[in-house]
């Protein structure tokens, strides 16, 4: 799976990066003519929506995968929480059986991340996966022990298994 937009975790893919000996490439082009909003606009909208929901006392449930896209989302949430002091009173909780393992593995694999993540480590000696605002738990009971309102990220993108069920 690849995306053409540059993110915090991965650089954007381009078709000129596809190996020359490739015999078949299947790609979805249904949104090829759409121009998505830029990263800053998407993140600002996410921050605004989270702030609105949390300030009204509501919890936010985000269904995520357990290893890949969740890392990008966690980097985005960390940046939002770092830049908005009002949100820092609300916990961000990652709840799944391998939550701690996922974060520890990401910390040790920086050389495989995109240039932005690598540069942050090389320049400032700060591992981008050393989260200040994230709490990792491995059981639903631990997740529910955090006071509301909170942001809860849990496994199962369709909500049919894992802690989301």
């Amino acid at each position: 799976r690849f995306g053409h937009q540059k993110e915090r975790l991965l650089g954007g893919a381009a078709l000129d990066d596809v190996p020359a000996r490739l015999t078949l490439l299947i790609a979805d082009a249904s949104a090829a003519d759409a121009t998505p909003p830029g990263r800053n606009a998407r993140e600002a909208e996410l921050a605004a929506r989270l702030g609105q929901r949390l300030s009204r006392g509501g919890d936010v449930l985000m269904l995520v995968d357990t290893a890949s896209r969740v890392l990008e989302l966690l980097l985005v949430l960390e940046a939002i929480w770092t830049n908005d002091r009002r949100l820092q009173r609300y916990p961000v909780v990652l709840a799944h059986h391998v939550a701690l393992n996922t974060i520890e593995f990401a910390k040790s694999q920086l050389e495989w991340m995109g240039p932005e993540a690598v540069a942050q480590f090389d320049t400032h000696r700060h591992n981008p996966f050393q989260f200040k605002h994230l709490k990792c738990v491995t059981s639903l009971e631990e997740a529910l022990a955090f006071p509301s309102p909170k942001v809860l990220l849990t496994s199962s993108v369709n909500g049919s298994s894992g802690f989301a069920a």
Side-chain angles (χ1 to χ4, degrees):
R1 179 176 162 127
F2 67 93
H4 67 283
Q5 291 184 319
K6 180 181 171 216
E7 297 177 338
R8 292 175 186 273
L9 180 60
L10 300 173
L15 288 179
D16 57 358
D17 293 337
V18 174
R21 297 181 51 102
L22 185 70
T23 55
L24 177 65
L25 172 66
I26 299 173
D28 178 16
S30 61
D33 59 348
T35 305
R39 183 173 91 182
N40 291 339
R42 290 190 316 267
E43 291 179 12
E45 182 177 353
L46 176 63
R49 289 180 183 228
L50 289 171
Q52 288 171 352
R53 176 40 99 197
L54 293 167
S55 67
R56 293 182 183 150
D59 288 338
V60 176
L61 174 64
M62 302 176 99
L63 301 176
V64 297
D65 63 28
T66 57
S68 60
R69 300 300 297 165
V70 70
L71 295 174
E72 175 71 22
L73 183 56
L74 292 174
L75 290 173
V76 170
L77 291 174
E78 182 71 13
I80 290 171
W81 257 244
T82 299
N83 294 327
D84 191 337
R85 297 184 68 94
R86 296 170 298 154
L87 292 175
Q88 292 178 8
R89 65 183 145 180
Y90 307 115
V92 178
V93 182
L94 175 63
H96 62 78
H97 298 293
V98 293
L100 296 169
N101 303 64
T102 299
I103 302 305
E104 289 303 314
F105 187 74
K107 285 179 188 177
S108 69
Q109 300 295 316
L110 284 181
E111 67 272 15
W112 297 103
M113 306 302 173
E116 191 171 326
V118 172
Q120 188 177 3
F121 182 76
D122 288 345
T123 305
H124 305 291
R125 287 294 179 223
H126 172 72
N127 190 314
F129 297 104
Q130 190 68 43
F131 297 111
K132 287 177 53 180
H133 302 102
L134 176 70
K135 312 295 188 242
C136 291
V137 299
T138 56
S139 74
L140 183 58
E141 292 76 23
E142 289 176 287
L144 296 177
F146 286 91
S148 290
K150 63 181 161 284
V151 175
L152 177 60
L153 297 97
T154 188
S155 58
S156 179
V157 293
N158 65 6
S160 64
S161 64
F163 298 147

